[in-house]
């Protein structure tokens, strides 16, 4: 592990940021870090991962592999991660030996398990949908008998993008759901009939200074984020409440770094869905539409540098570019030349070699004078950009 640096003599060329995960989030953290000439060391199982093109060093290994995490730590002044799958036990050990790991392994441990996360939030008086731990199939049947349908059965760990959720519509689904998650710990949650899904990015630095981004409106398709719209089209009171709740979450966690706080808006009531201890897809708009991006505030936060309150410069709409259904293999994206004729359009391509169904391959953000204009231009670009199979190439599995 490198010795900690003296910030009054900060020489960025000598500072290495270690990042567990070289996907698009790791890459975008890296792009921001490179603006400040930091060195980048990554750990990722794929040697062609998105961040491989900007990495100074890349350790190719499973995210949880202890030996490789230690190797990454040896090279790093500050260690962060872009995924919740990181090995919190090994990170805890490194932290106790003096390495700066942000967000802390304790925070990661609380968030990694959905039940632990919800229990934590509830204990701090932060509003969450009603939930209960599943201890046996009989107990699950009893809970369902006493509740209104539908309900959501959720796997507590290693679940993301809705893949850990099973909708219980009637008593018949309970056994099926429990079988579906066999061997995994589960919880059951009240289904929220939300009017909107919103989220707030919050940064907190090592000194406890906190800054939150504007509230955004998220539209999901097949459980994957499709579009983020900002401003969220909510009242000033709801906007202020959402930011207050989101800041309270990060303060209560004593989290350091950037956090994505996803919430349901049901009538005028806000309930937390989940916390991401990292940059979040719904914060990508901040690159173009805010005075400071989620990636810059993450770096400032973990290096103990001052934060500033992000200002929204203009309305914006961010749209994900996703892999086509039922196809895994090489691909191309067509229509880019015409898409660039649309004013205010910024394209981000992650450089993934292979597409998979629903895989996030890139995104585009449109900034405009009004939300309506941004939405209208988004519809134009959506029609132009196409993910196409690259024919004549043998299907490649990763
Ligand atoms: P998750 O992976 O738990 O964030 O869930 C993915 C998506 O499932 C969310 O963005 C929501 O659209 C939906 N979802 C999750 N939990 C609930 C809930 N309790 N009630 C209604 N919809 C939910």
């Amino acid at each position: 592990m490198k010795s900690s640096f003296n910030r009054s003599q900060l020489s960025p060329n000598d500072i290495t940021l270690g990042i567990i995960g070289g996907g698009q989030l790791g890459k975008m953290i890296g792009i921001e870090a490179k603006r400040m000439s930091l060195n980048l060391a990554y750990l990722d199982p794929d040697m062609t991962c998105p961040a491989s093109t900007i990495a100074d060093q890349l350790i190719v290994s499973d995210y949880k592999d202890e030996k490789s995490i230690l190797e990454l730590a040896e090279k790093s002044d500050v260690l962060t991660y872009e995924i919740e799958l990181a090995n919190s036990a090994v990170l805890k050990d490194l932290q106790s030996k003096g390495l700066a790991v942000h967000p802390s392994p304790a925070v990661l441990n609380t968030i990694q398990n959905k039940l632990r996360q919800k229990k934590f939030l509830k204990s701090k008086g932060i509003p969450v949908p009603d939930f209960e731990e599943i201890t046996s199939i009989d107990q699950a049947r009893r809970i369902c008998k006493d509740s209104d349908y539908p309900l959501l059965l959720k796997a507590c760990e290693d679940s993301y993008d809705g893949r850990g959720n099973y909708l219980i519509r009637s008593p018949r689904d309970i056994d099926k759901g429990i079988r579906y998650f066999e061997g995994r710990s589960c919880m059951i949650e009240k289904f929220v009939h939300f009017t909107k899904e919103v989220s707030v990015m919050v940064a907190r630095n090592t000194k406890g200074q906190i800054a939150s981004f504007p509230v955004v409106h998220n539209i999901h398709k097949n459980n994957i984020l499709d579009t983020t719209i900002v401003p969220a089209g909510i009242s000033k009171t709801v906007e202020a409440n959402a930011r207050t709740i989101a800041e309270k979450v990060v303060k209560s966690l004593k989290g350091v770094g950037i956090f994505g706080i996803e919430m349901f808006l049901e009538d005028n009531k806000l309930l937390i869905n989940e916390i991401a201890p990292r940059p979040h897809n719904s914060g990508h708009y901040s690159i173009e539409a805010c005075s400071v991006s989620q990636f810059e505030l993450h770096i400032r936060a973990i290096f103990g540098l001052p934060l500033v309150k992000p200002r929204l410069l203009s309305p914006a709409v961010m749209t994900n570019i996703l892999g086509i259904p039922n196809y895994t293999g090489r691909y191309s994206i067509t229509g880019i030349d015409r898409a660039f004729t649309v004013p205010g359009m910024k394209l981000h391509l992650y450089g993934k070699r292979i597409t998979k169904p629903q895989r996030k391959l890139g995104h585009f953000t449109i900034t405009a004078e009004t939300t309506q204009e941004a939405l209208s231009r988004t519809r134009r670009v959506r029609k132009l950009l196409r993910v196409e199979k690259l024919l004549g190439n043998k299907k490649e599995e990763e």
Side-chain angles (χ1 to χ4, degrees), residues 114 118 129-130 152 154 159-165 189-194 197 220 223-224 262 264 273-274:
K114 283 189 178 178
K118 288 267 158 66
D130 290 341
L152 267 179
K154 292 189 167 186
S159 50
Y160 54 94
D161 286 343
R163 266 175 263 183
N165 295 350
E189 196 170 275
K190 181 177 175 282
F191 188 91
V192 181
H193 296 277
F194 53 81
E197 285 190 83
H220 292 83
N223 282 314
I224 306 252
E262 293 186 79
F264 300 125
N273 176 29
E274 61 180 2

Side-chain angles (χ1 to χ4, degrees), residues 152-219:
L152 267 179
L153 185 66
K154 292 189 167 186
C156 297
E157 291 194 353
D158 295 337
S159 50
Y160 54 94
D161 286 343
R163 266 175 263 183
N165 295 350
Y166 192 98
L167 188 66
I168 311 256
R169 292 173 206 273
S170 72
R172 279 183 319 187
D173 294 334
I174 301 162
D175 290 32
K176 278 196 250 169
I178 299 279
R179 268 203 306 277
Y180 183 73
F181 290 132
E182 189 151 13
R184 298 172 72 181
S185 64
C186 290
M187 60 188 274
I188 217 152
E189 196 170 275
K190 181 177 175 282
F191 188 91
V192 181
H193 296 277
F194 53 81
T195 35
K196 257 180 193 173
E197 285 190 83
V198 297
S199 60
V200 183
M201 300 305 305
V202 179
R204 184 173 173 275
N205 71 9
T206 50
K207 299 180 179 105
Q209 195 190 4
I210 207 154
S212 62
F213 284 79
V215 183
V216 302
H217 171 199
N218 296 320
I219 300 169

Side-chain angles (χ1 to χ4, degrees), residues 100-113:
V101 182
H102 299 304
S104 76
V107 168
L108 178 63
N109 186 260
T110 302
I111 291 176
Q112 265 173 340
N113 180 298

Side-chain angles (χ1 to χ4, degrees), residues 138-154:
D138 285 337
Q139 177 245 14
R141 289 191 192 114
R142 271 198 307 278
I143 296 171
C144 294
K145 199 165 144 255
D146 297 336
S147 320
D148 294 329
Y149 291 93
L151 292 160
L152 267 179
L153 185 66
K154 292 189 167 186

Side-chain angles (χ1 to χ4, degrees), residues 37-333:
S37 296
L38 299 177
N39 294 313
L40 296 172
Y42 286 91
L43 186 159
D44 194 279
D46 178 6
M47 67 180 292
T48 67
C49 63
S52 63
T53 51
I54 58 161
D56 294 299
Q57 302 175 74
L58 171 62
I59 299 164
V60 179
S61 139
D62 187 87
Y63 304 116
K64 294 199 182 192
D65 182 67
E66 184 170 349
K67 199 169 140 277
S68 306
I69 297 174
L70 295 180
E71 194 186 331
L72 182 71
E74 282 294 325
K75 301 176 189 299
S76 307
D77 292 287
V78 172
L79 199 59
T80 191
Y81 43 87
E82 61 145 23
I83 40 149
E84 288 90 324
L85 297 173
N87 188 331
S88 57
V90 178
L91 293 180
K92 193 168 167 207
D93 201 35
L94 286 170
Q95 189 190 39
S96 69
K97 289 180 181 143
L99 180 67
V101 182
H102 299 304
S104 76
V107 168
L108 178 63
N109 186 260
T110 302
I111 291 176
Q112 265 173 340
N113 180 298
K114 283 189 178 178
L115 178 68
R116 226 168 14 237
Q117 189 187 127
K118 288 267 158 66
K119 279 185 176 170
F120 173 84
L121 292 169
K122 196 172 168 188
S123 75
K124 299 290 174 188
I126 294 162
V128 290
D130 290 341
F131 66 92
E132 211 154 329
E133 182 175 1
I134 298 296
T135 52
S136 72
I137 188 143
D138 285 337
Q139 177 245 14
R141 289 191 192 114
R142 271 198 307 278
I143 296 171
C144 294
K145 199 165 144 255
D146 297 336
S147 320
D148 294 329
Y149 291 93
L151 292 160
L152 267 179
L153 185 66
K154 292 189 167 186
C156 297
E157 291 194 353
D158 295 337
S159 50
Y160 54 94
D161 286 343
R163 266 175 263 183
N165 295 350
Y166 192 98
L167 188 66
I168 311 256
R169 292 173 206 273
S170 72
R172 279 183 319 187
D173 294 334
I174 301 162
D175 290 32
K176 278 196 250 169
I178 299 279
R179 268 203 306 277
Y180 183 73
F181 290 132
E182 189 151 13
R184 298 172 72 181
S185 64
C186 290
M187 60 188 274
I188 217 152
E189 196 170 275
K190 181 177 175 282
F191 188 91
V192 181
H193 296 277
F194 53 81
T195 35
K196 257 180 193 173
E197 285 190 83
V198 297
S199 60
V200 183
M201 300 305 305
V202 179
R204 184 173 173 275
N205 71 9
T206 50
K207 299 180 179 105
Q209 195 190 4
I210 207 154
S212 62
F213 284 79
V215 183
V216 302
H217 171 199
N218 296 320
I219 300 169
H220 292 83
K221 285 188 187 155
N222 304 317
N223 282 314
I224 306 252
L225 182 66
D226 181 77
T227 311
T228 294
I229 305 168
V230 57
I234 51 180
S235 70
K236 280 206 172 103
T237 315
V238 174
E239 169 99 21
N241 284 346
R243 285 175 81 149
T244 304
I245 292 171
E247 289 185 14
K248 183 172 173 188
V249 169
V250 178
K251 254 185 237 163
S252 308
L253 280 166
K254 298 195 180 70
V256 170
I258 188 93
F259 291 77
I261 316 295
E262 293 186 79
M263 303 178 204
F264 300 125
L265 177 62
E266 191 187 29
D267 305 320
N268 278 325
K269 199 171 73 194
L270 289 156
L271 299 163
I272 303 269
N273 176 29
E274 61 180 2
I275 311 166
R278 52 168 172 79
H280 192 257
N281 197 171
S282 70
H284 291 354
Y285 78 94
S286 62
I287 299 172
E288 286 85 14
C290 290
S291 51
V292 61
S293 77
Q294 62 164 343
F295 301 103
E296 180 174 344
L297 279 202
H298 182 57
I299 291 171
R300 290 192 193 206
I302 64 179
F303 280 97
L305 297 166
L307 304 181
V308 282
K309 188 176 172 185
R311 234 171 354 98
L312 186 66
L313 304 173
S314 78
V317 176
M318 188 284 320
T319 307
N320 275 331
I321 301 169
L322 299 177
I324 34 185
N326 305 318
Y327 175 72
T328 297
R330 289 170 60 79
Y331 67 100
S332 65
I333 297 177

